[in-house]
Every structure is written in structure tokens, then in C-alpha cells.
Amino acid sequence: MTTRRHFLTSTGSTVAAAALSSAESTPAPREKPLLSFGLMADCQYADADPAGTRFYRESSGKLAEAVTELNKHDLAFTCHLGDFIDRDFTSFADLRPIAARLRSKLHHVLGNHDFDVEESLRAKVPAELGLTTGTYYAIRRAGFRFLFLDTT
């Protein structure tokens, strides 16, 4: 079974290898890309003590660093690939002002940790992430269709 982390690692390596091999063969003139978008994954913020290799409280600072870096680029949109929080529904409120500084529109994919909240609040999670019309959706940008699937 492929995990999101394995997919991102292997895809990134493949893209980097392809870019390096094509760059070595022929230097091409610098062209503006058809489309640029940002990706983030597994913020997993919680106001919780560290556990093993997870430093939950540091996630908000790392999200702020990511937003600062992404804002340096002309992006059609940004996507967070799930697990924005790790637990505790109030964590959404802690991250919302940081994510709001992002200049490109932020799209979310749901992750299992996003639902690690009180059972009575689980139905409210999609709306907290701006998913008001469903938990999976599509957008079109620059002639491409992007599908955002409910990974839960």
C-alpha cells in the first residue's frame, strides 16, 4: 500500500531526476511555466507535548514558514494534502490566521487526523476547511482539472 508520504517522496524524486536529466542534456531558454501551484501536507498541529518525533506545537511556526515561502511565488493555488490538525477542534482556529496570510487560494484535502476530534464535532470539520459543497471536488486552472479527493 502506498502512503501519502511515500507517494510525495517518490514523485518528488522522479520529478527532480527528470528535471536534472533534461537540464543536463540541453539548456533550454527559461520559459514561464503553464501553471505553478503550492503543496503542503501533514501540518498536524495540536497544542500538545511532543511525542516521539512529533513536535505538535512547532507545526504552527512551520506553517508560517511555508506560507512565507509560498508567497514568494506566483501560484494559481495551494493545496494542503490532509491532516491540517492532529486533534482538538480548536486547533483549526489557531491555524486559520496563519493560513489566511497565503496569497494564493488554499484548497484542502481531508485527512484522518482532521477528524481526530470529539465525535459531536466531526461533521463540522469539512466546513472548517472551507469544504462547504462536499468532501471531494474539482477545480480548473490553465486548462487543467484538479481533483481533490476525500482521503478518509
Side-chain angles (χ1 to χ4, degrees):
M1 181 169 113
T2 298
T3 64
R4 177 174 43 234
R5 186 175 309 249
H6 178 264
F7 172 78
L8 291 172
T9 302
S10 63
T11 304
S13 299
T14 303
V15 170
L20 286 174
S21 67
S22 66
E24 292 172 1
S25 60
T26 335
R30 194 97 159 125
E31 293 181 22
K32 184 176 177 178
L34 293 174
L35 177 76
S36 293
F37 59 92
L39 287 176
M40 299 184 286
D42 296 285
C43 189
Q44 290 187 293
Y45 171 77
D47 185 12
D49 292 331
T53 59
R54 295 192 177 193
F55 299 90
Y56 300 103
R57 287 188 187 102
E58 291 181 18
S59 295
S60 59
K62 291 180 180 187
L63 176 62
E65 287 177 36
V67 166
T68 298
E69 179 60 34
L70 291 167
N71 281 344
K72 293 176 183 176
H73 306 276
D74 183 22
L75 303 174
F77 64 90
T78 297
C79 178
H80 189 279
L81 298 173
D83 296 341
F84 201 51
I85 65 165
D86 189 77
R87 64 189 81 146
D88 189 8
F89 193 82
T90 61
S91 293
F92 289 117
D94 294 333
L95 296 183
R96 195 176 303 113
I98 300 167
R101 294 193 305 251
L102 194 60
R103 287 188 321 189
S104 58
K105 178 160 176 55
L106 179 59
H107 295 279
H108 283 277
V109 173
L110 296 168
N112 61 320
H113 289 263
D114 294 320
F115 290 97
D116 193 13
V117 298
E118 292 180 39
E119 190 171 341
S120 63
L121 297 172
R122 287 183 186 150
K124 296 182 178 185
V125 168
E128 279 296 311
L129 294 173
L131 305 176
T132 56
T133 60
T135 58
Y136 58 92
Y137 55 100
I139 63 169
R140 288 183 182 267
R141 297 290 186 279
F144 295 95
R145 181 183 301 194
F146 293 87
L147 304 176
F148 298 84
L149 303 177
D150 182 345
T151 63
T152 62

